[in-house]
Amino acid sequence: MKNFLSEKAKNIAPYAAGEQPKDKKYVKLNTNENPYPPSPKALEAYKNFDFSSLNLYPAPDADALRAAVAEAEGVLPENVFCGNGSDEILALCLPAFFDEGGEGAAFADITYSFYPVFCNFFGVKYTLLPLEADFSLDLDKLSAMPAQGLIVANPNAPTGIGIPLAEIERFVRENSGRVVIIDEAYMPFFNESAVPLIKKYKNLLVVKTFSKGYSLAGMRCGYAVGDVSLIEGLFRCKDCFNSYPLDRVCQAVCAAAISDGAYYAEKNALVISERERLTEALRGRGFEVLPSKSNFVFARHGRLAGKEVYEGLRARGVLVRHFQKPRIENFCRITIGSRVQNDALLKALDEML
Ligand code: PMP
């Protein structure tokens, strides 16, 4: 039979998201979701939503949501772009800031594995900087790389390691001649956001999400903050692809969520304290745990291979993420759950060990 796919669709290697199993109910610690529910204000916005308005298209540029984000972030609405998950925004960054056949992008060898997928999809070359032996990122080495723009996840995934704001500022300043994208998906668990720097540095774009720190992974919404010229580039590309990426319900719920900072500060502090408890508990069980500033830990056992840990836990009803990749094949990435979920993980590990 004739294969109707384009060469690109036939040959591209898509991103592999964490599994969403249906065979049984797991303690699900594999996709870095927040264990707590969305804020009561967000739930109220959902309940009060006028569903009869769904015959009409949503606001194409999500103006009310952008205003709410701007207020929470201390910037102006024109400095904000909203997208269908931060994944969509990161994807739009490729055509917006990188030329096909140009110098391309540079980022770490061990970081969010969607970056190379986006680059390949949009025909943008990329160069990888190997992380150091301790899995830290040497920003000076990244600055020395030829590229049209640089991408850094802070905190990084899947390592969880965070870079202090002062170092990020120096990096942004030293690369003032090219775009620097800081992916802050996990910043609610580190609190060193580079957003305040956007007023000083026109080359800086900070990308954030409602999925982790706002307990709204199911809503699919993210945002970027940066100079108006960068934001305009994202709008130009969005309007070549999808005029209405965020539905009406999503815009209303996310605007309510971001106005309830106090609720999320409290819940995310609980995640942080569980992270510290889990780190110590894992170290006590023979794991090396990288110092995490995110809502997951990246850990390897002294005796058991990463795959054995993953499979042993899965057999006991606990799902974590394992990457079959050079340098990190002996690690598992474990999302910080509620206290009950984390205790279930530790119990399963005790049985295994
Ligand atoms: N950046 C990083 C580093 C991530 O781990 C993720 C989540 N997989 C995202 C961005 C995308 O998150 P979302 O599309 O849910 O906003």
Side-chain angles (χ1 to χ4, degrees):
M1 200 178 82
K2 184 170 162 39
N3 187 330
F4 295 106
L5 299 190
S6 68
E7 288 306 311
K8 185 185 236 176
K10 259 189 276 180
N11 296 313
I12 202 110
Y15 172 75
E19 58 191 310
Q20 304 288 0
K22 295 184 185 70
D23 56 333
K24 64 175 186 183
K25 207 159 163 51
Y26 287 88
V27 175
K28 198 170 167 301
L29 302 177
N30 70 329
T31 45
N32 299 341
E33 288 139 331
N34 199 306
Y36 300 105
S39 107
K41 283 189 185 165
L43 298 178
E44 207 175 278
Y46 184 85
K47 281 190 207 119
N48 294 338
F49 183 79
D50 175 14
F51 285 91
S52 71
S53 69
L54 289 181
N55 60 316
L56 302 174
Y57 280 110
D61 296 346
D63 289 327
L65 174 57
R66 288 168 71 212
V69 170
E71 162 110 29
E73 291 285 1
V75 297
L76 297 173
E78 60 255 40
N79 295 118
V80 179
F81 176 85
C82 295
N84 191 244
S86 57
D87 279 340
E88 184 184 69
I89 300 172
L90 292 164
L92 290 171
C93 283
L94 271 297
F97 310 124
F98 297 87
D99 292 301
E100 281 179 54
E103 272 194 301
F107 43 84
D109 63 339
I110 300 165
T111 187
Y112 188 31
S113 48
F114 229 139
Y115 305 152
V117 176
F118 290 141
C119 287
N120 288 333
F121 191 67
F122 287 101
V124 170
K125 189 180 92 178
Y126 62 89
T127 329
L128 302 178
L129 173 69
L131 293 182
E132 303 300 301
D134 64 356
F135 297 99
S136 63
L137 173 63
D138 186 331
L139 288 179
D140 289 332
K141 287 185 187 165
L142 193 57
S143 292
M145 294 181 80
Q148 193 171 0
L150 306 167
I151 309 175
V152 173
N154 189 36
N156 195 17
T159 63
I161 295 175
I163 303 172
L165 179 56
E167 287 177 43
I168 292 288
E169 174 160 15
R170 189 165 67 85
F171 176 68
V172 175
R173 191 172 52 236
E174 284 174 1
N175 288 287
S176 60
R178 52 186 173 177
V179 72
V180 171
I181 298 163
I182 308 288
D183 176 355
E184 294 192 350
Y186 300 102
M187 193 48 81
F189 315 100
F190 186 26
N191 296 319
E192 297 243 358
S193 176
V195 164
L197 302 181
I198 65 124
K199 291 175 187 152
K200 249 164 106 178
Y201 303 99
K202 291 194 178 312
N203 61 321
L204 171 64
L205 188 83
V206 181
V207 181
K208 295 191 160 192
T209 180
F210 283 90
S211 298
K212 319 290 178 183
Y214 290 94
S215 303
L216 286 168
M219 205 86 241
R220 303 305 299 131
C221 188
Y223 60 93
V225 187
D227 187 73
V228 202
S229 60
L230 300 181
I231 298 300
E232 267 175 24
L234 290 172
F235 272 114
R236 289 176 68 83
C237 291
K238 170 197 84 105
D239 288 329
C240 293
F241 181 70
N242 184 355
S243 313
Y244 309 101
L246 298 179
D247 67 62
R248 284 173 168 262
V249 183
C250 170
Q251 294 188 35
V253 169
C254 290
I258 206 163
S259 69
D260 199 0
Y263 170 86
Y264 288 109
E266 185 199 317
K267 294 299 182 233
N268 293 336
L270 289 177
V271 173
I272 292 170
S273 78
E274 274 298 290
R275 175 183 76 205
E276 301 311 315
R277 180 177 81 95
L278 199 61
T279 299
E280 282 316 303
L282 290 170
R283 286 184 179 148
R285 285 162 175 82
F287 281 90
E288 176 195 352
V289 186
L290 299 188
S292 173
K293 297 291 182 192
S294 45
N295 69 339
F296 56 85
V297 288
F298 204 45
R300 72 178 149 195
H301 195 260
R303 220 167 8 86
L304 299 178
K307 195 155 184 280
E308 281 178 278
V309 174
Y310 162 79
E311 282 171 355
L313 286 172
R314 198 178 202 288
R316 288 167 180 80
V318 180
L319 210 55
V320 299
R321 187 102 199 249
H322 174 250
F323 300 89
Q324 195 60 54
K325 275 191 186 165
R327 291 186 75 191
I328 58 167
E329 68 270 21
N330 277 330
F331 282 86
C332 284
R333 193 195 67 192
I334 307 169
T335 303
I336 309 301
S338 65
R339 200 177 173 90
V340 171
Q341 288 176 307
N342 300 334
D343 283 341
L345 166 87
L346 293 172
K347 186 165 164 279
L349 278 175
D350 288 338
E351 273 175 39
M352 276 170 63
L353 298 166

